[in-house]
Amino acid sequence: MISVCSSRGNACADRPFGPRWRLACVRLWISLTLAGGLLVGCAGAPKPPRQPDDACAIFAEKPKWHKATRRAERRWGTPMQVQLAIIRNESSFRHDARPRTSSAYGYSQAIDGTWNWYREQTGRSNAKRTDFADAADFVGWYTDLSQRLLGISKWDGYNQYLAYHEGHTGFQRGSYRRKDWLVAVARRVDEDARTYGEQLRRCRMR
């Protein structure tokens, strides 16, 4: 932290300019402190992978993501490539993604109620939507529920995504049938999952 006011004790108080000088000095100090905090925050913010089309490149750049998706796969049985495909299409791998008309947030774009349900059911009370490992575990948990409640294979990126987006009740009602755009996105998720799976097999990162 840079102090513009004190070189020796409280230099501002020693100035002969009175209260106005001291107030100006304090305001300047606060401004610089806040600006410094913003710069540090921006510098430390996680960035999306440089090659989002290549699962091997993603994991080479972000080895912690590889560890996180593998851990979620072992815990919930959802393949790493399906986790990646869902997260990519939900947030473009941006940790702070947020739409204007929903409480969805973070990598997984989980809404407030579902995220709180996940934390309650798994005991992960400190899980954060801006943490990739927590988001991957959430996707694993939700797709495991979809398999148990709806019978959807965890390898089925298409139907898993429809249930993920519409919720289990919405999927059962077939709400997605009236949304051509959503069906197109679900097909893209399935294609991404298949492509990621082939890539991971080739580079032996499965």
Side-chain angles (χ1 to χ4, degrees):
M1 182 185 299
I2 299 175
S3 175
V4 298
C5 294
S6 48
S7 56
R8 200 174 43 182
N10 189 346
C12 292
D14 295 335
R15 297 283 183 177
F17 300 103
R20 288 186 179 180
W21 168 260
R22 289 196 295 272
L23 180 59
C25 190
V26 169
R27 285 176 176 171
L28 178 60
W29 178 82
I30 291 173
S31 298
L32 289 175
T33 300
L34 290 175
L38 288 173
L39 288 173
V40 170
C42 292
K47 298 179 180 179
R50 289 187 291 269
Q51 299 181 60
D53 293 326
D54 188 333
C56 299
I58 291 172
F59 287 153
E61 179 184 350
K62 298 179 179 293
K64 289 184 179 180
W65 286 21
H66 180 234
K67 185 181 296 185
T69 52
R70 174 171 282 179
R71 184 165 57 243
E73 180 181 83
R74 289 173 176 169
R75 184 179 187 186
W76 303 109
T78 303
M80 292 188 289
Q81 59 264 30
V82 173
Q83 299 173 47
L84 275 183
I86 289 176
I87 292 173
R88 179 188 184 181
N89 281 272
E90 283 294 278
S91 65
S92 298
F93 296 124
R94 289 184 293 116
H95 76 289
D96 58 352
R98 185 195 296 273
R100 294 181 180 179
T101 58
S102 168
S103 65
Y105 183 58
Y107 286 112
S108 66
Q109 288 295 281
I111 60 174
D112 291 347
T114 308
W115 187 259
N116 289 335
W117 182 30
Y118 157 74
R119 294 197 298 184
E120 178 184 330
Q121 291 294 309
T122 60
R124 296 169 61 88
S125 59
N126 294 322
K128 298 178 180 179
R129 285 176 281 186
T130 54
D131 185 289
F132 184 86
D134 291 338
D137 193 74
F138 172 83
V139 171
W141 168 80
Y142 196 90
T143 49
D144 178 65
L145 274 178
S146 297
Q147 191 276 325
R148 290 191 284 115
L149 297 175
L150 304 172
I152 303 173
S153 168
K154 296 171 186 176
W155 294 79
D156 182 354
Y158 176 77
N159 284 298
Q160 279 287 356
Y161 184 76
L162 290 175
Y164 188 92
H165 189 277
E166 297 295 274
H168 298 135
T169 301
F171 182 86
Q172 286 178 315
R173 292 175 178 171
S175 58
Y176 57 88
R177 297 191 184 100
R178 301 186 298 274
K179 303 175 181 179
D180 293 342
W181 63 270
L182 177 58
V183 170
V185 174
R187 287 176 180 153
R188 185 166 66 240
V189 169
D190 194 50
E191 290 173 4
D192 285 348
R194 292 175 187 275
T195 300
Y196 282 155
E198 292 173 3
Q199 292 167 344
L200 291 173
R201 283 189 290 274
R202 285 201 300 269
C203 66
R204 299 181 180 179
M205 296 188 77
R206 277 234 28 91

